[in-house]
Amino acid sequence: MRKNILLAAGLLFSISSQAQLLDIIKSAVKDKTGVDLSTPTKTNNTTASTSTTTSTSTTSANTSPINLGSLTSTQISSGLKEALSMGVTDGVKKLALTDGFLKNEAVKILMPEKLRKIDTTLRSIGMGSLADEGVKLLNRAAEDAVTEAAPIFTKAITSMTITDAKNILLGSDNAATNYLQTKTQSQLFTAFQPKVKASLGKVGADTVWKNLISKYNTFTGQSVTTDLNEYVTTETINGVFKMVADKESGIRNTPAMRTTSILQKVFGAQDKK
């Protein structure tokens, strides 16, 4: 019995000594390294969980809806319509001037592609002035016909829906112009063709081109024809859209071009998209 008591006492003393020794080791490590071995470390799972949470929060922030501030749907619609109206008005006004097409390299109507060999041939035989006159009159016809675009554009702009406007505002630099083109392309072509035909006759382009092609065919023994009416109609429409797109891009990217309060408010919000 006494032997068992002594054995138990010895065991307890041993455990106590080990505990004291462990405490001494922990204290020494903390003093030397600053690491407290008594504090449990975080597991990889906890770290992974934290990382996942951070990643999820970041993803959530990146996919949050675009904030248009206090803009109402009506304001967005009004701003887009005003920007398009300004683009059309300014564009048509500039193109309708004498040399509005001819002296603007961005929209100048060149000789139809399949007739450009006429230009080379005429110049080679000293008749470059006839080719120049032909190109000039194509542009004169466009300058005369372009005013027909305004009422068609106006109708398309006023019919823009709230949903259209929101999508356009947050779209590319020429999203409004693309919308207008989708809505008016076929109408413009139908309305322009008779006007362009009349303009070609009015400025004498049809006569000059008949003479030009006739001379070419005589000198070369070939037979070249083209539908000038269709060509000039298409090029005139393209010129108008180019001018509208330039105006839209300017308003979107240059605050100084936002000359009204509604443009400043709407496109100021767009700046933050």
Side-chain angles (χ1 to χ4, degrees):
M1 178 69 176
R2 183 178 178 184
K3 183 178 181 181
N4 290 338
I5 292 173
L6 289 174
L7 183 60
L11 182 60
L12 289 172
F13 177 78
S14 176
I15 293 173
S16 175
S17 297
Q18 290 177 7
Q20 289 176 354
L21 181 60
L22 182 59
D23 288 339
I24 292 170
I25 293 172
K26 287 181 179 179
S27 178
V29 170
K30 185 173 183 180
D31 289 341
K32 295 293 184 180
T33 67
V35 177
D36 189 352
L37 296 177
S38 299
T39 303
T41 58
K42 294 181 179 179
T43 64
N44 289 336
N45 288 339
T46 303
T47 304
S49 175
T50 303
S51 176
T52 302
T53 302
T54 302
S55 176
T56 302
S57 299
T58 303
T59 303
S60 177
N62 290 339
T63 57
S64 60
I66 295 171
N67 182 14
L68 291 178
S70 59
L71 285 181
T72 65
S73 296
T74 300
Q75 287 173 325
I76 293 173
S77 178
S78 296
L80 262 298
K81 288 179 180 180
E82 185 160 322
L84 277 174
S85 294
M86 288 176 63
V88 169
T89 300
D90 290 356
V92 170
K93 183 178 179 181
K94 290 175 181 178
L95 293 175
L97 296 173
T98 299
D99 291 334
F101 273 88
L102 186 64
K103 296 296 178 67
N104 184 341
E105 292 300 321
V107 297
K108 180 180 178 180
I109 300 175
L110 305 175
M111 190 172 290
E113 187 172 356
K114 70 177 182 178
L115 295 181
R116 285 174 195 169
K117 57 185 177 181
I118 293 178
D119 182 89
T120 303
T121 301
L122 291 175
R123 293 183 190 284
S124 69
I125 59 177
M127 297 182 64
S129 60
L130 182 58
D132 290 337
E133 182 68 8
V135 169
K136 183 181 81 171
L137 292 179
L138 293 184
N139 285 273
R140 289 286 181 264
E143 291 157 8
D144 185 63
V146 73
T147 53
E148 292 293 306
I152 297 172
F153 280 138
T154 299
K155 182 178 179 181
I157 292 169
T158 55
S159 66
M160 181 189 295
T161 68
I162 296 297
T163 300
D164 288 333
K166 286 183 177 179
N167 291 336
I168 290 168
L169 180 61
L170 299 175
S172 61
D173 275 3
N174 60 346
T177 306
N178 288 341
Y179 163 84
L180 203 57
Q181 191 164 7
T182 299
K183 295 291 184 180
T184 63
Q185 184 84 34
S186 60
Q187 291 175 277
L188 284 171
F189 195 88
T190 300
F192 261 39
Q193 269 203 312
K195 176 63 177 175
V196 168
K197 184 176 181 179
S199 295
L200 287 169
K202 178 180 176 180
V203 302
D206 51 356
T207 300
V208 169
W209 272 87
K210 285 178 182 177
N211 182 31
L212 190 154
I213 292 173
S214 175
K215 288 184 181 298
Y216 174 82
N217 290 341
T218 297
F219 281 113
T220 64
Q222 299 181 29
S223 179
V224 176
T225 60
T226 191
D227 187 341
L228 285 181
N229 188 20
E230 181 176 342
Y231 175 68
V232 174
T233 297
T234 300
E235 292 299 297
T236 303
I237 293 171
N238 290 343
V240 174
F241 284 126
K242 176 67 172 63
M243 297 294 282
V244 176
D246 287 348
K247 186 72 173 182
E248 178 189 356
S249 179
I251 291 173
R252 284 184 182 272
N253 298 298
T254 309
M257 292 182 66
R258 302 165 191 168
T259 54
T260 67
S261 59
I262 189 64
L263 289 179
Q264 292 163 6
K265 189 174 184 68
V266 170
F267 288 96
Q270 171 243 233
D271 290 341
K272 303 170 186 177
K273 71 179 183 178

